[in-house]
Amino acid sequence: MEAAAAIVGLLFVLFVLAGVFLTVKAVQAAKRGVDRTVAQARRTVEDTTLRARQLAQPGVVGELAQLRLSLRTSMRATQDALYGAAGEDASLSEAIGLFERLSAHGHELDAELKRLEREPDRPTIAARLPELRERTERITHSAESLRWAARDRARRFADDDLAALSDQIDVEAGALRHWTEGPGYPAAGEPVADGRPRTGTADGSPAADAARRGAAPETAGRGSSRGAAPDAPPAITARDPRTEPAHPWQKAPRTEEQRAEARRAEARGDVREAEARRRE
């Protein structure tokens, strides 16, 4: 009895611990989701404010807003391109490391531009604008180089995969057309006038037809003990209706039992017809 109570107590403790663990995980996931939503909303508000300031306040303030907006847009696009493709291409890890080092310079420049927006000494800011513009262009140019290199790499991989797939499809298409390879048959992809393979001769004589079917003209009516002609095209394997996939627009193939039942029904019908004739 005491052992059963101990087991029940142990199970209860395990259930409580599992519930606490799942609750903590759920709270952490919810917190991460809220943090992402808040960060995205904050970025959207800041970008909208910068665009409005760029249009509404020309001069030094508008120039600073334009530099910040250009820097933030370029760095965010590069971050999305690199981190989005890192899961499929492990060789981008070094590029991500370089981007993180570049992000440190980008955050420093963005913070400096943000401080200068509240600076009342406009002539000093105007004197520093060329240097700030040059730093912004250098950072954005480096970010764009990484971003376009990653995109070109992904596109090159896609082109190589498509080329290999096209070669495999051509090989498979040639294998599916194996019956067209031989004397008297059109090549793969050659247009046919009536939709059927052309014969080897233009006169369409019975001898040519017999030769095309792989039998000699004089032995066409005999058995197939001698086999096909040496230059006859390979035969196509017949399809088994039992293993062939059924489509909604096709009738289901008859099985052997259904064929036997149909033959028995026909035999019964013949017997009844014969009895009816005798009665007459």
Side-chain angles (χ1 to χ4, degrees), residues 11-275:
L11 292 176
F12 177 76
V13 171
L14 291 177
F15 285 144
V16 171
L17 292 178
V20 171
F21 178 76
L22 293 177
T23 303
V24 171
K25 287 293 184 180
V27 170
Q28 291 177 354
K31 184 178 182 299
R32 287 194 297 269
V34 171
D35 292 341
R36 285 195 300 267
T37 303
V38 171
Q40 184 177 1
R42 185 183 295 111
R43 286 195 302 266
T44 303
V45 171
E46 290 180 357
D47 292 345
T48 304
T49 303
L50 290 175
R51 290 190 181 91
R53 191 175 298 169
Q54 177 185 356
L55 297 175
Q57 297 180 358
V60 177
V61 178
E63 185 72 17
L64 292 175
Q66 181 181 0
L67 292 178
R68 287 191 64 195
L69 186 61
S70 176
L71 177 65
R72 292 163 62 91
T73 303
S74 179
M75 296 297 288
R76 189 177 303 123
T78 304
Q79 180 181 3
D80 294 341
L82 292 179
Y83 285 93
E88 301 177 356
D89 190 359
S91 60
L92 293 177
S93 58
E94 185 175 356
I96 291 176
L98 294 175
F99 175 74
E100 290 177 354
R101 293 174 56 187
L102 184 65
S103 298
H105 294 277
H107 288 304
E108 181 181 357
L109 178 59
D110 184 70
E112 184 176 356
L113 293 174
K114 189 174 183 179
R115 287 193 302 268
L116 291 177
E117 288 179 353
R118 297 187 296 268
E119 179 65 36
D121 191 1
R122 303 301 182 188
T124 304
I125 300 175
R128 293 193 56 188
L129 275 178
E131 184 265 336
L132 295 172
R133 189 180 300 109
E134 181 183 0
R135 287 177 59 189
T136 305
E137 291 177 356
R138 290 176 60 185
I139 294 176
T140 55
H141 177 71
S142 300
E144 289 173 358
S145 298
L146 287 175
R147 181 172 70 251
W148 285 109
R151 291 176 178 175
D152 292 342
R153 181 180 179 85
R155 186 174 63 253
R156 179 59 182 272
F157 284 163
D159 293 341
D160 293 344
D161 184 69
L162 180 59
L165 180 60
S166 299
D167 294 340
Q168 294 177 4
I169 290 176
D170 292 340
V171 172
E172 181 64 22
L176 293 176
R177 295 191 182 99
H178 69 281
W179 69 87
T180 63
E181 297 178 359
Y185 281 82
E190 183 178 349
V192 182
D194 56 353
R196 294 174 297 181
R198 294 198 298 267
T199 60
T201 59
D203 54 357
S205 61
D209 294 337
R212 178 172 57 84
R213 289 192 300 269
E218 62 274 6
T219 59
R222 301 176 186 175
S224 58
S225 59
R226 294 186 180 181
D231 57 347
I236 303 175
T237 305
R239 297 181 179 179
D240 190 355
R242 293 172 296 179
T243 60
E244 193 172 319
H247 298 282
W249 62 86
Q250 292 181 345
K251 294 182 179 180
R254 286 188 175 184
T255 60
E256 293 297 334
E257 292 79 2
Q258 293 175 348
R259 294 192 183 95
E261 183 64 28
R263 287 194 294 268
R264 287 195 294 269
E266 293 177 358
R268 287 196 298 269
D270 295 339
V271 171
R272 290 174 186 154
E273 185 177 357
E275 292 178 356

